[in-house]
Amino acid sequence: MNSAEWHARIELRGRVTGAGFLVAPGTVLTCAHVAGDGADLTVTFTERPGSPPVPARVVAHGGWTGGATDVGDLAVLELAEEVPIAPAALAPLDAAHGPVPRKLVVYGFPAGFDEGTLSEQRVTAPQLIKREWLQLEAWHPGGQPLAPGFSGAAVALAYTGEVVGMVTAAAGSRDVRTGRMMPTQVMARYWPGLQSLVPTSDHTTADRARLRALVERAARAGVDCDPVRLYTAAADPFDPPPPEEGFASLWSAALFVLCELDGPGAARTVARFADRLEALLRLPAVEPSAPDWSPILVELAHSGAGDGLIRVEVSAYSGGRRHPVDSGTVERHRLHAYVRDRIEAAFRYLTPGADELVAFALPRDWLDWPVDRWESAPDDTTPLGCLYPLVVTDHARRKASTRHVLTRAWKRLDALPGARVHRVECCGPEEPGRLRMRLRRPDACLAGFGTAPAASRTRPHFDTSLTAPAPVIVWSRGGCGSGQEECEGADGCTGKAFLDALDACVAAVPPAELPRHILALREEADAEEDHWARGIQLLWDDPRVFTDPHAVAPAHAESPVA
């Protein structure tokens, strides 16, 4: 849920009464029974430690009359001042349930958890009770049940963070682990202002996530643009015109694109709007000099139980801490889908405003796997490497001694204006021992290979680059026919052409910027079949980005079922 900054704790006369969630910079939704009479009401955003409570008042009400089964248990709160927090994103109306149960996450404040805690739920069935509620049931029998303090909390899809409804009640019995959720379409019945915040189902999950992320980055960077002009430039001739009063903000324009446009052309407009906004973000005036990476680490390993099983562990890093997301042993044919879903889940832990980085730590014999080509979502065939900066690293280089040497190397690289390529030619490469000496020089940065690691002629050189250790290694998965013995490095050699283009392309790119630069190259190569960077693989290893794997903070300071 992207760090859950939009989750709120509601207090009435200084007493915690429940939860709520931000849907606009100055608007929070909660239950009417949580807001009470609205006297001395405050809202605290607990995921912003140290931020003071914000006074609030009730400006709309669902008509709830006080009974446990009375309808309209919704209150709209107006904050005394707008908060600089990205509001919650709402999911399409049909997203809460499907043929396969969808894991939902609720963030509430039951007794003993003033800082908040999570509960995993799912919808029992799509049947509305009293045309008002969907029934929730615990995802795991032993997990945190719904309880007082969860009322008013957003119910969000676990793997996207998009909101599908709001908790209104728990079963009230320790033996029954169910509750009730008011879905967004019912909430919109009581407060029409919500209708303009619910996206249509014509946009894919990846498109919605990309546009939201770009708008957040633009807001933080202070991008100066006219939202009306941006929308007009992206719109199809048959798309509706912008409102006569214009858009109050870039957020308003993005919501208009997601919520008001439907039909076959809607996805194209969203893509063009996002592309134009991304182009503005790439301008030197707003692009940071060095990325503030917030990585997602996917560690794959041989399971020891046969070639068909792979051990997977996914973590997210933010604020100098490692957050375990999930781990398991997975059959190889299920690996792509398993990793894809866990990467999506990991985004809720990332530092707001930081640049996402997806890193695969692989066994040495798997380093050439085309993980950048794995599809990014069930409904989106965009490769992961064309959506996020994506790198690989050798799992063996995670040991403490190698991390120490690499950290010292990166401190030197921070001062370099560009990435100097040390070429490892497919024809007559230098002796591995001499290569090791060259890669240990103070100005050494990037080892470039025109062949894949499996090429017999250059395999010893690739292993030397890993153990030297070279901070950055780049190669072509399809270069030079994988290093044929008869190649003499002539002008027609694809490996030589790759290294020539690579050298020219990264000479002015600071080493810390390489993951983002390779992302742009992969996007170009995905659109051009004969692009020289098609099949490019980036091994990029800055230990400062990753917390020591042996210094992992516990996931919970106390048991959620205590």
Side-chain angles (χ1 to χ4, degrees):
M1 285 178 280
N2 298 331
S3 90
E5 283 201 333
W6 43 264
H7 285 294
R9 186 178 67 207
I10 311 299
E11 299 177 24
L12 188 67
R13 301 184 186 90
R15 183 176 66 87
V16 176
T17 54
F21 56 104
L22 190 75
V23 293
T27 305
V28 167
L29 300 185
T30 187
C31 290
H33 79 262
V34 170
D37 60 10
D40 194 13
L41 195 66
T42 59
V43 175
T44 302
F45 296 95
T46 58
E47 288 301 297
R48 284 207 157 196
S51 60
V54 183
R57 65 188 184 97
V58 178
V59 294
H61 197 282
W64 182 68
T65 54
T69 59
D70 290 343
V71 299
D73 192 3
L74 172 73
V76 182
L77 309 185
E78 181 182 79
L79 302 180
E81 58 185 28
E82 293 188 354
V83 291
I85 294 174
L90 305 188
L93 297 180
D94 57 354
H97 43 74
V100 177
R102 295 174 183 176
K103 183 187 289 188
L104 307 173
V105 176
V106 183
Y107 190 99
F109 303 91
F113 288 92
D114 285 351
E115 78 285 3
T117 191
L118 298 171
S119 176
E120 295 179 329
Q121 301 286 316
R122 62 182 171 191
V123 170
T124 303
Q127 171 67 48
L128 278 176
I129 300 172
K130 207 175 178 179
R131 300 186 63 248
E132 184 84 359
W133 308 288
L134 289 174
Q135 180 170 299
L136 296 174
E137 60 184 36
W139 183 263
H140 293 296
Q144 167 68 57
L146 296 178
F150 278 101
S151 292
V155 181
L157 295 167
Y159 296 135
T160 70
E162 294 176 310
V163 175
V164 297
M166 178 183 72
V167 175
T168 58
S173 169
R174 185 169 296 187
D175 298 328
V176 181
R177 291 175 171 266
T178 61
R180 287 181 175 178
M181 170 185 91
M182 183 186 291
T184 51
Q185 66 265 33
V186 176
M187 297 169 70
R189 185 197 309 158
Y190 296 116
W191 184 53
L194 197 66
Q195 293 176 355
S196 63
L197 304 178
V198 179
T200 70
S201 57
D202 296 280
H203 309 298
T204 66
T205 300
D207 285 343
R208 296 195 304 271
R210 180 190 178 214
L211 183 54
R212 288 198 306 270
L214 288 170
V215 172
E216 289 181 25
R217 285 178 58 192
R220 287 187 297 270
V223 172
D224 184 17
C225 73
D226 181 348
V228 172
R229 292 182 61 186
L230 190 65
Y231 170 74
T232 304
D236 270 341
F238 297 106
D239 285 336
E244 291 185 8
E245 67 277 14
F247 297 114
S249 64
L250 195 55
W251 277 111
S252 299
L255 287 170
F256 186 86
V257 170
L258 290 175
C259 305
E260 300 297 330
L261 273 57
D262 54 18
R268 293 193 297 270
T269 301
V270 168
R272 284 193 296 268
F273 189 96
D275 289 345
R276 282 161 173 76
L277 183 54
E278 189 169 36
L280 290 173
L281 283 166
R282 285 178 175 170
L283 293 176
V286 296
E287 190 69 19
S289 58
D292 178 19
W293 295 121
S294 193
I296 295 169
L297 178 65
V298 181
E299 298 180 82
L300 305 183
H302 299 280
S303 71
D307 293 339
L309 294 174
I310 296 172
R311 182 68 184 166
V312 185
E313 184 172 355
V314 180
S315 309
Y317 291 78
S318 64
R321 296 185 59 199
R322 182 186 187 191
H323 303 272
V325 176
D326 204 354
S327 62
T329 300
V330 183
E331 296 171 327
R332 190 155 183 168
H333 70 274
R334 295 179 50 241
L335 179 63
H336 294 194
Y338 183 92
V339 169
R340 178 189 64 213
D341 290 345
R342 273 61 186 178
I343 288 176
E344 188 65 43
F347 268 89
R348 70 176 181 266
Y349 297 101
L350 298 193
T351 305
D355 293 275
E356 70 278 1
L357 174 73
V358 177
F360 280 78
L362 305 171
R364 190 161 297 182
D365 55 331
W366 292 354
L367 283 173
D368 203 37
W369 276 16
V371 291
D372 59 294
R373 300 300 303 171
W374 291 2
E375 293 181 358
S376 56
D379 54 1
D380 186 1
T381 59
T382 304
L384 278 172
C386 294
L387 198 59
Y388 312 116
L390 185 148
V391 302
V392 301
T393 187
D394 180 9
H395 203 284
R397 301 204 329 174
R398 302 275 291 156
K399 61 185 182 181
S401 58
T402 305
R403 290 165 62 86
H404 178 82
V405 175
L406 281 170
T407 299
R408 187 172 62 227
W410 273 99
K411 288 180 178 179
R412 294 195 302 266
L413 296 183
D414 286 341
L416 296 182
R420 178 178 175 271
V421 178
H422 183 82
R423 300 166 64 110
V424 181
E425 305 280 0
C426 49
C427 173
E430 62 189 313
E431 290 298 320
R434 187 172 294 277
L435 173 62
R436 180 184 300 277
M437 293 174 57
R438 290 182 180 273
L439 292 177
R440 286 186 175 273
R441 290 180 178 176
D443 62 341
C445 174
L446 189 158
F449 286 76
T451 63
S456 59
R457 200 169 189 176
T458 54
R459 180 67 205 217
H461 304 79
F462 185 77
D463 291 341
T464 296
S465 299
L466 289 171
T467 58
V472 184
I473 307 175
V474 179
W475 66 93
S476 170
R477 292 195 296 264
C480 191
S482 296
Q484 296 174 359
E485 295 291 334
E486 63 271 17
C487 177
E488 297 298 331
D491 289 340
C493 170
T494 55
K496 179 179 183 301
F498 173 82
L499 290 176
D500 289 344
L502 177 68
D503 208 351
C505 191
V506 304
V509 178
E513 294 274 3
L514 282 170
R516 181 184 292 156
H517 195 71
I518 297 299
L519 165 64
L521 285 176
R522 284 173 173 149
E523 289 179 305
E524 293 177 10
D526 194 55
E528 301 175 29
E529 187 173 349
D530 297 327
H531 196 283
W532 67 270
R534 199 170 186 84
I536 193 170
Q537 194 84 325
L538 171 64
L539 188 148
W540 184 93
D541 208 348
D542 184 350
R544 300 170 300 177
V545 173
F546 301 96
T547 307
D548 185 339
H550 301 294
V552 180
H556 298 283
E558 55 183 308
S559 170
V561 294

